[in-house]
Amino acid sequence: MSRSRRDLVWIPTFAVLVAFAVPWPLWGVDRVVAGLPVWIWWHVAWLGLCAALFSLFVRSGAWERGMGLRPETGAEAGPGSESGPALGGDRP
């Protein structure tokens, strides 16, 4: 299975997100901002960044391609189209 270059960009992106999920630069810092330690604010901001990037990842279609699915396009996909998974779950 070949991957496009734009899909390969996501691998280092997620590696960086994992590497900096732990607030390494803030170890030993006892500073408090708005009643909470700075490292908690780091996590809040980091989780927001992760959510935004994951949303972009899914919208780009990389999720479907990575799972081996073909993303549907508006012109090809209709109610009777067989190009993608059926909506509504399994049918008896």
Side-chain angles (χ1 to χ4, degrees), residues 76-90:
E76 298 171 1
S81 175
E82 296 295 327
S83 65
L87 297 176
D90 295 333

Side-chain angles (χ1 to χ4, degrees), residues 44-79:
V44 169
W46 204 252
L47 288 174
L49 177 65
C50 289
L53 284 174
F54 188 72
S55 175
L56 185 63
F57 172 73
V58 171
R59 283 193 222 145
S60 74
W63 178 267
E64 286 87 3
R65 289 186 300 275
M67 300 303 282
L69 302 174
R70 289 188 323 214
E72 295 182 7
T73 60
E76 298 171 1

